[in-house]
Amino acid sequence: MKTSLHGVIPPVPTIIGDDGRFDPVGMGKLIDRLLASEINGFLFLGSAGEFAQLSNPARKEIAEFCVKRVAGRRPVIIGTASCHTEEVIELSNHAAAVGADAVMVVNPYYLQLSDERIYQHYRQIAGAAKLPVLLYNFPALTGQDLSPELVRRLALDCPNIVGIKDTVDCMSHIRRIIQEVKESRPDFMVFSGYDEYLLDTLLIGGDGAIPATSNFAPEVTCGIYRAFREGDLAAAQKQLLRLGKLSRMYVMDKPFTGLIKESIRLCGLDISNKVIAPGSAVVDAAQRQALKEILISAGVPVA
């Protein structure tokens, strides 16, 4: 990998135009705004990027555009998950061909798989992918957890598997991965998927977070990361209190993708808030007002 991954990496939403197709103009605006902030990298085509609702040609188009727009100014991770192992490999090697730095792969969903079958899925990917692979654990959506034992086995057997985004609402799960995997493989990177676990993850030896709020309020999570690096826990706590207020938005709607896009708009960036069906944009005035009040309560400037 050209650059080690660390810190705050936004899971960037995919901007969709009124015609329901990828909007490169809006996506470019968002990327440029994030490049002007302190973020440490990008994740495109993750959950917030609505990868599961996109065709493979669209995913390839978006990956190529985003890598080109970032132009090496930050590391880029491309989400290449699929329920089909060979499809993951195809998308991962496309990401390599267009210049990405790493790929992230959530485990197959719908089918219930044994740990051995999940292991073989990732082992095949790691053996064939031309980029470093990060695991993505999100059991609330996939229905299956990547246990610390399974993660450790993959990390030790597959040098090309370099880290994990652990989206589990339980800090002890992240702690166990850090303790049980990093002890044997210190370079293995552990990122929290939940925004509010960023500081705890860093304090116990993790590497950062992949938090959706950093798409519209990067000063909050980046402020926590900077304060941690400087040893200023008082400053980190101030930002953590702001982050706790922002995190209330995640329970306002399902999926939360429209809320992220609407928050970006409320923070002054003129992009479409369209969401790929079966999701839908925030259209309810009361919901929009509640979202605005959350932003204001956290001290985030609203246009």
Side-chain angles (χ1 to χ4, degrees):
M1 193 157 25
K2 289 180 279 188
T3 306
S4 177
L5 300 169
H6 62 90
V8 175
I9 300 174
V12 184
T14 300
I15 306 306
I16 303 298
D18 291 338
D19 60 358
R21 299 174 63 85
F22 172 58
D23 175 13
V25 174
M27 195 77 189
K29 288 181 184 179
L30 179 54
I31 291 171
D32 291 349
R33 186 181 214 184
L34 289 169
L35 281 167
S37 74
E38 294 183 62
I39 64 155
N40 304 103
F42 292 88
L43 167 63
F44 298 107
L45 295 168
S47 300
E50 301 175 89
F51 79 91
Q53 293 95 272
L54 290 162
S55 68
N56 282 356
R59 291 172 70 175
K60 290 178 179 179
E61 175 192 3
I62 293 162
E64 184 169 1
F65 173 86
C66 292
V67 171
K68 186 175 181 181
R69 187 66 170 234
V70 174
R73 289 172 284 180
R74 301 284 201 288
V76 170
I77 307 166
I78 300 294
T80 58
S82 168
C83 290
H84 191 302
T85 306
E86 290 299 326
E87 197 166 78
V88 177
I89 293 168
E90 178 193 347
L91 290 168
S92 296
N93 288 335
H94 175 267
V98 300
D101 297 285
V103 296
M104 181 173 287
V105 182
V106 76
N107 47 300
Y109 37 92
Y110 186 74
L111 283 179
Q112 292 291 295
L113 301 174
S114 66
D115 274 8
E116 181 61 30
R117 288 193 173 93
I118 295 174
Y119 171 85
Q120 293 299 336
H121 171 72
Y122 277 118
R123 180 147 191 171
Q124 280 185 255
I125 293 163
K130 298 174 183 176
L131 286 176
V133 177
L134 287 95
L135 309 174
Y136 180 12
N137 187 34
F138 202 166
L141 296 187
T142 64
Q144 291 187 272
D145 179 45
L146 301 182
S147 68
E149 293 83 5
L150 176 59
V151 174
R152 183 177 187 275
R153 184 183 175 198
L154 285 166
L156 294 181
D157 291 353
C158 307
N160 202 36
I161 294 179
V162 298
I164 186 170
K165 175 184 178 183
D166 200 29
T167 308
V168 179
D169 196 8
C170 176
M171 192 58 211
S172 63
H173 197 279
I174 297 172
R175 172 187 56 78
R176 284 192 61 203
I177 289 177
I178 291 170
Q179 291 177 337
E180 296 175 25
V181 180
K182 278 183 173 284
E183 180 180 308
S184 303
R185 187 170 162 193
D187 67 322
F188 190 81
M189 296 171 285
V190 180
F191 294 90
S192 166
Y194 280 101
D195 307 42
E196 57 199 305
Y197 292 155
L198 166 60
L199 183 58
D200 287 339
T201 299
L202 293 168
L203 287 170
I204 62 172
D207 297 271
I210 302 179
T213 57
S214 58
N215 284 292
F216 56 85
E219 66 276 12
V220 176
T221 42
C222 291
I224 292 171
Y225 185 59
R226 183 184 347 108
F228 168 77
R229 295 287 293 267
E230 294 172 356
D232 189 348
L233 293 185
Q237 183 187 33
K238 289 180 182 178
Q239 297 297 342
L240 192 61
L241 292 172
R242 297 176 70 192
L243 183 58
K245 293 175 180 178
L246 290 176
S247 295
R248 291 181 297 174
M249 72 174 56
Y250 287 123
V251 299
M252 288 175 57
D253 199 5
K254 294 180 181 180
F256 63 81
T257 314
L259 297 169
I260 301 303
K261 294 181 182 181
E262 188 64 26
S263 295
I264 294 168
R265 286 170 56 85
L266 286 169
C267 290
L269 190 65
D270 183 20
I271 59 163
S272 167
N273 65 356
K274 301 298 181 188
V275 178
I276 304 170
S280 61
V282 178
V283 294
D284 181 86
Q287 189 180 50
R288 185 177 286 109
Q289 180 60 30
L291 186 58
K292 188 173 182 178
E293 289 172 3
I294 286 174
L295 293 169
I296 293 169
S297 74
V300 177
V302 174

